[in-house]
Amino acid sequence: MQSYYDIWLVTLSVVLAIFASFTALSLAAKIPHIEGPKARYWLLGGALSMGLGIWSMHFVGMLAFHLPIPLAYDVGITIASVLIAVLVSGLSLYLIRHGIRGASQLLSSALLMGLG
């Protein structure tokens, strides 16, 4: 069984990862300084942009891999994976918003983001 990667989709996946990373870093730098009711909207927007960016990068990477057998993606599992990515991104931004006060909190939030 021979498989291959579509180089254009791999490149697109890497570009998406770069844009998602810059967006995440930009939001993480701004969120601790926002006060009042605007903070909730920034958290929601940040969670959506980070979660969708991370998920898109992984999904395009999966589409780049071709096998000689037919494959299909389950809509329910795909939607669940998007929701998990957005939820975990929102939780990590929430932790950043309220401050990380030690190495254990930093490690646990990084682990949570990695598992998401």
Side-chain angles (χ1 to χ4, degrees):
M1 187 179 310
Q2 192 168 6
S3 61
Y4 67 95
Y5 284 96
D6 183 347
I7 191 67
W8 296 109
L9 287 176
V10 171
T11 304
L12 177 62
S13 178
V14 170
V15 169
L16 283 170
I18 291 169
F19 280 122
S21 298
F22 278 122
T23 301
L25 290 172
S26 176
L27 285 167
K30 292 177 184 175
I31 283 183
H33 306 292
I34 297 170
E35 298 296 329
K38 287 184 179 180
R40 182 175 294 137
Y41 297 118
W42 273 86
L43 282 173
L44 180 62
L48 286 171
S49 63
M50 279 177 57
L52 290 176
I54 292 166
W55 179 84
S56 298
M57 182 264 311
H58 283 99
F59 194 75
V60 171
M62 289 189 317
L63 292 176
F65 186 61
H66 293 281
L67 290 171
I69 57 173
L71 296 175
Y73 295 99
D74 185 76
V75 175
I77 292 174
T78 302
I79 291 171
S81 69
V82 171
L83 293 176
I84 289 170
V86 170
L87 182 67
V88 170
S89 297
L91 187 56
S92 66
L93 286 175
Y94 179 81
L95 290 173
I96 289 171
R97 168 94 175 101
H98 293 289
I100 296 176
R101 294 182 180 85
S104 63
Q105 278 187 329
L106 180 63
L107 183 61
S108 62
S109 63
L111 183 63
L112 179 67
M113 186 68 173
L115 288 173

